[in-house]
Amino acid sequence: MVYREDVNGPTASAPRNAAQAGEGTAASALPAERIGQVVSVSGSRAVVRLDADAAEPGGADALQIGALVKMRTHETLAFGMVKSLTMPDYAEAEDDGKLRVMEIEFVGEGVPGPEDGTIVFRRGVSFCPTLGDSVFAVSQDDLMRVYAQPNVASAKIGTIYQDQTLPAFVSVDDLIGKHFAVLGTTGCGKSCAMATMLRAILDQHAEGHVVLLDLHDEYSHAFKDCAELIGGDRLKLPYWMLSSEELEEIVVEKSEDEEVDRSILRDSVVHAKRAFNEDDERVNLLGADSPVPYRLSELIRYLNESLGRLDKPTDSAPYLRLINRLTRLTADKRFEFMFEERFTVADTMAEILAQLYRVPAQGKPITVLDLSEVPSDVMKVVISLICRLTFDFAFWANRETPVLLVCEEAHRYANQLDEDSSYRLIRRALSRIVNEGRKHGVSLGIVSQRPSELDMGILSQCNTIFAMRMSNLRDQEFVQGTLSESALGLTDALPSLRTGEAVAVGEGVSLPVRVYFDLLPEDQRPRSATAEFSKAWKTSEGLDGYVDTIVDRWRRQRR
């Protein structure tokens, strides 16, 4: 980007004619050569008539969509973001027969700092320019002030579009504490962007508490040096940690008598919990949702006992369905992570939560929960359990151990269109996090390639959005509906963004900005690269007997 040289401008009380620039404080410094003149001011917007030489090579870089410009007001420097550029053919100007018009959105202002009087940037505009005021291109010093590392905990995630020598920062507390989302089409670099941000933050916060739901085993490669990797044989989520609704989603099969089955199961679970915890002085307070252990064998025994007390054989169907379903689940190898403890049960809840939420972190502040081998018919319940546990853990921790939950492929289970009851459980848990989590120290990070399918109530609570390349018009319109007015000009570039590039807007960044994410080393990138068909289809070397290996993995449900 080409910058004009700065000269000292007038003080706040001096005349605001650019021709008089030359004396004053550094706090009001402006470029000597202007690019246009304000011809209309309306609310947070202004229309600028560009000077004849503003479109010449020397000023072209300043006139890109999303670029910043500045204007002197009575006491401040007002910064605006270029929203649109037009050149109406029907209008004539005195200079060259063409009228060039720029529309800008006010985004912030520079004010003298309390110590040395140098310009300090802040969001919002106290004073707007007036008609006839000059508009100037920003200098590199201005960009450094606007996009500088904030005076709070921050992390560098990349560089800004206007000048790739300048770093792009995020405010850690504003980004995580108020929820965020990374959105974009497949292959645009979402997983790498999330890995970049998490690494930048966790490199400075080794005692963090992050849980990442990894549906495709992408992130174990990216965080193998600093993560607790839980998946396959290491995944342990005992059935007794499920709420009554979650257990019913697994055990109760769809039928006309579904509600009868649910009621019987709920009563039987309460009995089994009270029988196992009979020495607890609060045993009579235990309910179907109490997170206490119980024996599955006692549950089945009680169902059989209740079945034997029936007067009418026709009433036996619900009991038989539940007993048969529980028997099949405990015999299925795929469900060992949940139903392994059938006869001997231990209260391992504290150990499971300590491992899951990294308390203490012990040099591994993130848990990558590999769900790629979890059976599809129970996947939704597992995700619901993790989301619910995350909120409850943070709630009872009284904000002493704040937790970040990152949901990869969120559109698959937080879909606003799917009315399946298990999806409703997930949406309810996530909605509770985004609506109440900030007060209790739990935050949500969403990654999705189909934002238009996400639950609007959940996405609308994400206060920082990283919008990457999107070609689907519906997705573009959906994302634009969640962004502020000042960012709408930037979103016009969504279809043409390069891989690893995003439009960032919200509380986590100082201003809406187009950023390039830092490129991670190969050994720190997620395994999300596209399969190399052109290479794999050129040779059959090493494929003898490979199908046998595939069949073996398939049958063992282990990759």
Side-chain angles (χ1 to χ4, degrees):
M1 182 171 182
V2 179
Y3 301 95
R4 297 178 174 85
E5 294 182 358
D6 284 354
V7 297
N8 290 333
T11 61
S13 59
R16 287 174 290 164
N17 189 325
Q20 295 176 318
E23 297 180 359
T25 67
S28 55
L30 285 172
E33 186 179 353
R34 74 175 196 172
I35 61 172
Q37 183 181 40
V38 176
V39 296
S40 173
V41 180
S42 176
S44 62
R45 299 181 183 179
V47 176
V48 177
R49 174 182 171 178
L50 297 175
D51 294 340
D53 60 350
E56 297 300 319
D61 288 337
L63 303 181
Q64 298 180 21
I65 300 297
L68 292 179
V69 295
K70 63 181 180 180
M71 298 137 282
R72 186 186 295 109
T73 69
H74 180 63
E75 296 184 4
T76 66
L77 289 178
F79 287 90
M81 182 170 290
V82 178
K83 183 178 175 63
S84 67
L85 293 163
T86 57
M87 190 169 63
D89 291 333
Y90 57 84
E92 291 188 0
E94 297 178 358
D95 43 25
D96 61 352
K98 293 292 184 180
L99 177 66
R100 299 176 180 87
V101 176
M102 174 174 66
E103 185 179 10
I104 62 175
E105 186 91 19
F106 298 125
V107 293
E109 61 187 7
V111 296
E115 297 180 0
D116 56 4
T118 57
I119 290 180
V120 176
F121 177 80
R122 69 185 182 191
R123 282 189 172 189
V125 175
S126 305
F127 302 94
C128 293
T130 59
L131 297 179
D133 282 353
S134 297
V135 179
F136 300 88
V138 294
S139 66
Q140 188 175 35
D141 287 342
D142 292 323
L143 291 176
M144 292 177 66
R145 293 187 187 102
V146 171
Y147 296 113
Q149 183 174 1
N151 296 322
V152 293
S154 60
K156 177 183 175 295
I157 61 169
T159 57
I160 68 171
Y161 173 75
Q162 287 97 326
D163 186 339
Q164 294 183 47
T165 65
L166 298 180
F169 294 95
V170 292
S171 169
V172 175
D173 291 328
D174 288 329
L175 176 73
I176 299 180
K178 300 178 182 179
H179 319 300
F180 67 99
V182 180
L183 311 172
T185 189
T186 180
C188 68
K190 298 186 302 299
S191 299
C192 287
M194 178 59 77
T196 297
M197 285 192 289
L198 290 179
R199 273 202 168 270
I201 294 171
L202 295 179
D203 283 348
Q204 303 176 24
H205 303 85
E207 295 302 314
H209 311 283
V210 180
V211 178
L212 194 156
L213 301 183
D214 187 2
L215 273 62
H216 303 297
D217 190 22
E218 297 180 18
Y219 290 90
S220 58
H221 179 261
F223 294 103
K224 58 181 180 291
D225 60 326
C226 62
E228 181 76 6
L229 307 177
I230 302 178
D233 295 335
R234 297 198 67 204
L235 180 63
K236 304 295 180 185
L237 294 172
Y239 60 87
W240 49 263
M241 294 181 69
L242 297 169
S243 68
S244 60
E245 288 183 291
E246 291 162 352
L247 183 64
E248 290 163 18
E249 286 299 319
I250 298 175
V251 177
V252 176
E253 298 176 316
K254 305 298 181 183
S255 69
E256 295 180 358
D257 300 325
E258 181 180 335
E259 289 305 315
V260 176
D261 294 14
R262 289 177 180 269
S263 178
I264 293 173
L265 179 62
R266 199 175 301 121
D267 292 341
S268 301
V269 167
V270 172
H271 167 82
K273 287 184 176 182
R274 291 180 177 178
F276 185 84
N277 299 275
E278 59 184 355
D279 295 333
D280 192 325
E281 60 182 12
R282 297 165 298 177
V283 62
N284 292 328
L285 300 178
L286 296 179
D289 290 329
S290 300
V292 296
Y294 64 93
R295 290 188 179 91
L296 201 60
S297 57
E298 175 62 23
L299 175 62
I300 296 175
R301 188 200 66 78
Y302 182 77
L303 287 170
N304 277 309
E305 184 180 285
S306 301
L307 177 63
R309 291 198 300 262
L310 293 175
D311 296 329
K312 297 179 181 180
T314 54
D315 296 334
S316 63
Y319 294 90
L320 292 173
R321 282 196 297 266
L322 291 174
I323 293 170
N324 290 335
R325 175 62 173 166
L326 286 168
T327 302
R328 291 198 305 271
L329 287 172
T330 55
D332 193 331
K333 284 283 188 181
R334 300 177 303 158
F335 294 89
E336 279 188 348
F337 73 94
M338 185 171 288
F339 294 101
E340 186 177 23
E341 300 177 351
R342 287 175 283 175
F343 303 103
T344 59
V345 180
D347 187 358
T348 56
M349 186 170 180
E351 290 85 348
I352 291 172
L353 295 179
Q355 181 190 38
L356 187 61
Y357 298 113
R358 311 308 307 136
V359 184
Q362 297 178 331
K364 295 183 177 181
I366 180 171
T367 295
V368 176
L369 201 58
D370 176 16
L371 303 179
S372 60
E373 296 180 6
V374 173
S376 58
D377 46 353
V378 76
M379 172 78 77
K380 294 172 288 187
V381 174
V382 170
I383 294 175
S384 172
L385 170 63
I386 297 299
C387 295
R388 180 180 58 81
L389 286 177
T390 301
F391 182 89
D392 290 342
F393 176 83
F395 179 86
W396 294 109
N398 293 323
R399 301 178 63 166
E400 294 179 4
T401 54
V403 177
L404 168 64
L405 175 65
V406 179
C407 295
E408 177 74 31
E409 297 283 342
H411 58 277
R412 287 184 52 184
Y413 45 86
N415 194 311
Q416 62 178 331
L417 304 176
D418 203 311
E419 290 302 318
D420 185 284
S421 56
S422 53
Y423 285 118
R424 290 200 298 272
L425 293 178
I426 298 174
R427 289 201 297 270
R428 183 196 306 168
L430 292 178
S431 295
R432 196 178 183 196
I433 290 176
V434 296
N435 290 324
E436 306 174 37
R438 184 180 61 83
K439 306 171 186 176
H440 303 297
V442 58
S443 183
L444 182 67
I446 287 177
V447 182
S448 176
Q449 60 180 274
R450 292 306 307 269
S452 61
E453 296 181 4
L454 283 171
D455 185 279
M456 184 61 180
I458 295 174
L459 184 59
S460 64
Q461 293 295 324
C462 293
N463 282 269
T464 306
I465 301 288
F466 296 90
M468 306 187 77
R469 184 173 64 247
M470 293 181 200
S471 54
N472 184 282
L473 181 60
R474 184 182 173 191
D475 289 336
Q476 293 176 34
E477 293 174 344
F478 189 83
V479 170
Q480 288 171 350
T482 66
L483 302 181
S484 63
E485 283 291 316
S486 59
L488 293 183
L490 289 174
T491 59
D492 292 337
L494 289 181
S496 59
L497 292 179
R498 294 183 294 178
T499 299
E501 186 179 5
V503 172
V505 59
E507 298 289 335
V509 291
S510 58
L511 276 183
V513 61
R514 189 167 164 178
V515 301
Y516 295 116
F517 284 101
D518 285 338
L519 184 64
L520 291 170
E522 184 65 34
D523 62 346
Q524 295 180 8
R525 298 178 198 171
R527 281 194 294 253
S528 57
T530 304
E532 297 181 335
F533 288 80
S534 60
K535 181 178 179 180
W537 285 1
K538 287 181 178 179
T539 178
S540 61
E541 183 179 351
L543 295 182
D544 292 339
Y546 188 58
V547 174
D548 294 332
T549 303
I550 295 174
V551 171
D552 181 61
R553 292 175 182 170
W554 197 337
R555 288 173 175 169
R556 291 188 298 109
Q557 295 290 298
R558 291 287 185 271
R559 294 198 300 175

